[in-house]
Amino acid sequence: MFGRTMMLILCSVALLLTSAVPTFAQSKKRTEKYGVYPIAYKEIITRWLGEQLIDPASAEIEWLMEPRGVTVKAASGETFVGYFVDFKVNSRNKFGMYTGKQARRVYIRGGEIISGGRVPK
């Protein structure tokens, strides 16, 4: 009885794990459409914030999501294809006070931030 139950549990876990991993064809399709997935997105964004914030060393980042593939049409008529990431950042301003969590969104393509800024409330 124990052996059969254990085998059923192990098979269920194996099925769950293999179904959660994208197949090579799925990940290749994603790469072709949106470009290379930005695995190091946290480092890319942290480096970008270093240029945007007054006191980047004080930055407290709350990651809201992992990169998601997106196609966006800009107001200029250009089409952007890449990944976007939403996060919140709290850092010190020029008076040394924390600003409170600011919602931000960046668009990444080819390991670089193409566009980014505050997300309107």
Side-chain angles (χ1 to χ4, degrees), residues 30 33-35 65 67-73 79-85 105-109:
R30 187 179 317 137
K33 185 171 184 177
Y34 302 115
M65 61 185 293
R68 291 191 187 159
V70 66
T71 302
V72 177
K73 191 153 196 147
T79 301
F80 167 82
V81 179
Y83 294 86
F84 78 95
V85 180
R105 173 176 287 166
V106 295
Y107 294 95
I108 301 173
R109 174 73 182 196

Short mmCIF file of all heavy atoms in Angstrom, two decimals, residues 30 33-35 65 67-73 79-85 105-109:
data_model
loop_
_atom_site.label_atom_id
_atom_site.label_comp_id
_atom_site.label_asym_id
_atom_site.label_seq_id
_atom_site.Cartn_x
_atom_site.Cartn_y
_atom_site.Cartn_z
N ARG A 30 9.21 32.38 -28.22
CA ARG A 30 9.22 33.58 -27.40
C ARG A 30 10.43 34.44 -27.76
O ARG A 30 10.33 35.65 -27.87
CB ARG A 30 9.24 33.20 -25.92
CG ARG A 30 9.08 34.38 -25.00
CD ARG A 30 9.09 34.02 -23.54
NE ARG A 30 8.33 32.85 -23.23
CZ ARG A 30 8.73 31.89 -22.40
NH1 ARG A 30 9.88 31.98 -21.79
NH2 ARG A 30 7.98 30.85 -22.16
N LYS A 33 9.98 36.21 -31.17
CA LYS A 33 9.00 37.29 -31.17
C LYS A 33 9.46 38.51 -30.36
O LYS A 33 9.34 39.63 -30.82
CB LYS A 33 7.66 36.79 -30.64
CG LYS A 33 6.56 37.82 -30.71
CD LYS A 33 5.22 37.24 -30.39
CE LYS A 33 4.15 38.30 -30.57
NZ LYS A 33 2.82 37.81 -30.35
N TYR A 34 9.95 38.28 -29.14
CA TYR A 34 10.27 39.38 -28.23
C TYR A 34 11.76 39.65 -28.06
O TYR A 34 12.15 40.58 -27.39
CB TYR A 34 9.65 39.13 -26.85
CG TYR A 34 8.16 38.95 -26.90
CD1 TYR A 34 7.58 37.74 -26.55
CD2 TYR A 34 7.33 39.98 -27.30
CE1 TYR A 34 6.21 37.56 -26.59
CE2 TYR A 34 5.96 39.81 -27.35
CZ TYR A 34 5.40 38.60 -27.00
OH TYR A 34 4.05 38.44 -27.05
N GLY A 35 12.60 38.82 -28.61
CA GLY A 35 14.03 38.95 -28.41
C GLY A 35 14.49 38.05 -27.28
O GLY A 35 13.71 37.29 -26.71
N MET A 65 6.99 41.78 -10.69
CA MET A 65 6.81 40.75 -11.70
C MET A 65 8.13 40.41 -12.35
O MET A 65 9.10 41.14 -12.22
CB MET A 65 5.84 41.25 -12.78
CG MET A 65 6.36 42.50 -13.51
SD MET A 65 5.25 43.25 -14.68
CE MET A 65 5.16 42.02 -15.93
N PRO A 67 9.99 39.62 -16.15
CA PRO A 67 9.77 40.20 -17.48
C PRO A 67 8.67 39.48 -18.26
O PRO A 67 8.58 38.25 -18.22
CB PRO A 67 11.13 40.01 -18.17
CG PRO A 67 12.11 39.96 -17.05
CD PRO A 67 11.40 39.25 -15.94
N ARG A 68 7.85 40.27 -18.94
CA ARG A 68 6.78 39.73 -19.79
C ARG A 68 6.95 40.27 -21.19
O ARG A 68 7.18 41.46 -21.38
CB ARG A 68 5.41 40.16 -19.26
CG ARG A 68 5.05 39.50 -17.97
CD ARG A 68 3.61 39.75 -17.63
NE ARG A 68 3.37 39.24 -16.29
CZ ARG A 68 2.39 39.60 -15.52
NH1 ARG A 68 1.52 40.50 -15.94
NH2 ARG A 68 2.23 39.09 -14.32
N GLY A 69 6.81 39.37 -22.15
CA GLY A 69 6.92 39.78 -23.55
C GLY A 69 5.75 40.67 -23.92
O GLY A 69 4.63 40.45 -23.50
N VAL A 70 6.05 41.71 -24.72
CA VAL A 70 5.01 42.67 -25.08
C VAL A 70 5.31 43.31 -26.44
O VAL A 70 6.47 43.45 -26.83
CB VAL A 70 4.90 43.77 -23.99
CG1 VAL A 70 6.16 44.61 -23.93
CG2 VAL A 70 3.70 44.65 -24.19
N THR A 71 4.24 43.66 -27.12
CA THR A 71 4.33 44.47 -28.33
C THR A 71 3.52 45.73 -28.06
O THR A 71 2.32 45.63 -27.75
CB THR A 71 3.75 43.72 -29.55
OG1 THR A 71 4.47 42.50 -29.72
CG2 THR A 71 3.86 44.56 -30.80
N VAL A 72 4.15 46.89 -28.12
CA VAL A 72 3.50 48.15 -27.78
C VAL A 72 3.65 49.12 -28.94
O VAL A 72 4.73 49.27 -29.50
CB VAL A 72 4.14 48.78 -26.51
CG1 VAL A 72 3.53 50.12 -26.21
CG2 VAL A 72 4.01 47.85 -25.34
N LYS A 73 2.57 49.79 -29.28
CA LYS A 73 2.63 50.84 -30.31
C LYS A 73 2.74 52.19 -29.59
O LYS A 73 1.89 52.56 -28.80
CB LYS A 73 1.38 50.80 -31.17
CG LYS A 73 1.50 51.67 -32.39
CD LYS A 73 0.63 51.15 -33.49
CE LYS A 73 1.05 51.80 -34.77
NZ LYS A 73 0.90 50.94 -35.89
N THR A 79 6.58 50.76 -33.29
CA THR A 79 6.17 49.56 -32.56
C THR A 79 7.37 49.04 -31.78
O THR A 79 8.45 48.87 -32.33
CB THR A 79 5.66 48.48 -33.52
OG1 THR A 79 4.56 49.01 -34.24
CG2 THR A 79 5.22 47.25 -32.76
N PHE A 80 7.18 48.81 -30.49
CA PHE A 80 8.22 48.28 -29.62
C PHE A 80 7.90 46.82 -29.35
O PHE A 80 6.78 46.47 -29.00
CB PHE A 80 8.26 49.05 -28.29
CG PHE A 80 9.09 48.34 -27.26
CD1 PHE A 80 10.47 48.48 -27.25
CD2 PHE A 80 8.51 47.52 -26.32
CE1 PHE A 80 11.24 47.82 -26.33
CE2 PHE A 80 9.28 46.86 -25.38
CZ PHE A 80 10.64 47.01 -25.38
N VAL A 81 8.90 45.97 -29.53
CA VAL A 81 8.77 44.55 -29.21
C VAL A 81 9.89 44.21 -28.25
O VAL A 81 11.06 44.46 -28.54
CB VAL A 81 8.86 43.68 -30.48
CG1 VAL A 81 8.75 42.22 -30.13
CG2 VAL A 81 7.79 44.07 -31.48
N GLY A 82 9.57 43.69 -27.10
CA GLY A 82 10.57 43.34 -26.10
C GLY A 82 9.88 42.86 -24.84
O GLY A 82 8.86 42.16 -24.90
N TYR A 83 10.42 43.25 -23.70
CA TYR A 83 9.89 42.81 -22.41
C TYR A 83 9.65 44.02 -21.53
O TYR A 83 10.37 45.02 -21.61
CB TYR A 83 10.90 41.88 -21.72
CG TYR A 83 11.09 40.58 -22.47
CD1 TYR A 83 12.01 40.49 -23.50
CD2 TYR A 83 10.32 39.48 -22.16
CE1 TYR A 83 12.17 39.30 -24.20
CE2 TYR A 83 10.48 38.28 -22.85
CZ TYR A 83 11.41 38.21 -23.87
OH TYR A 83 11.55 37.05 -24.56
N PHE A 84 8.64 43.94 -20.65
CA PHE A 84 8.46 45.00 -19.67
C PHE A 84 8.47 44.40 -18.28
O PHE A 84 8.16 43.23 -18.09
CB PHE A 84 7.19 45.83 -19.94
CG PHE A 84 5.89 45.19 -19.52
CD1 PHE A 84 5.33 45.48 -18.29
CD2 PHE A 84 5.22 44.33 -20.37
CE1 PHE A 84 4.13 44.91 -17.90
CE2 PHE A 84 4.03 43.76 -20.00
CZ PHE A 84 3.47 44.05 -18.77
N VAL A 85 8.89 45.22 -17.32
CA VAL A 85 8.96 44.81 -15.92
C VAL A 85 8.39 45.95 -15.09
O VAL A 85 8.76 47.10 -15.26
CB VAL A 85 10.42 44.54 -15.47
CG1 VAL A 85 10.46 44.12 -14.01
CG2 VAL A 85 11.08 43.50 -16.36
N ARG A 105 7.93 51.34 -14.52
CA ARG A 105 7.89 50.31 -15.56
C ARG A 105 9.02 50.60 -16.53
O ARG A 105 9.24 51.73 -16.92
CB ARG A 105 6.56 50.34 -16.31
CG ARG A 105 6.54 49.39 -17.52
CD ARG A 105 5.20 49.36 -18.18
NE ARG A 105 4.31 48.61 -17.31
CZ ARG A 105 2.98 48.61 -17.44
NH1 ARG A 105 2.39 49.32 -18.38
NH2 ARG A 105 2.23 47.90 -16.62
N VAL A 106 9.74 49.54 -16.90
CA VAL A 106 10.80 49.67 -17.90
C VAL A 106 10.54 48.67 -19.02
O VAL A 106 9.95 47.62 -18.80
CB VAL A 106 12.21 49.45 -17.31
CG1 VAL A 106 12.56 50.52 -16.31
CG2 VAL A 106 12.35 48.08 -16.70
N TYR A 107 10.99 49.04 -20.21
CA TYR A 107 10.93 48.17 -21.37
C TYR A 107 12.36 47.79 -21.73
O TYR A 107 13.22 48.65 -21.87
CB TYR A 107 10.25 48.89 -22.55
CG TYR A 107 8.80 49.18 -22.28
CD1 TYR A 107 8.41 50.40 -21.77
CD2 TYR A 107 7.84 48.21 -22.51
CE1 TYR A 107 7.07 50.67 -21.51
CE2 TYR A 107 6.50 48.47 -22.25
CZ TYR A 107 6.12 49.70 -21.75
OH TYR A 107 4.80 49.94 -21.48
N ILE A 108 12.58 46.48 -21.87
CA ILE A 108 13.93 45.96 -22.12
C ILE A 108 13.96 45.24 -23.46
O ILE A 108 13.06 44.46 -23.78
CB ILE A 108 14.33 44.97 -21.01
CG1 ILE A 108 14.31 45.65 -19.64
CG2 ILE A 108 15.71 44.36 -21.29
CD1 ILE A 108 14.53 44.71 -18.47
N ARG A 109 15.00 45.50 -24.21
CA ARG A 109 15.22 44.81 -25.49
C ARG A 109 16.73 44.63 -25.64
O ARG A 109 17.50 45.59 -25.47
CB ARG A 109 14.66 45.64 -26.65
CG ARG A 109 14.96 45.09 -28.02
CD ARG A 109 14.13 43.87 -28.30
NE ARG A 109 14.50 43.36 -29.62
CZ ARG A 109 13.77 42.51 -30.27
NH1 ARG A 109 12.65 42.08 -29.76
NH2 ARG A 109 14.17 42.06 -31.43
#
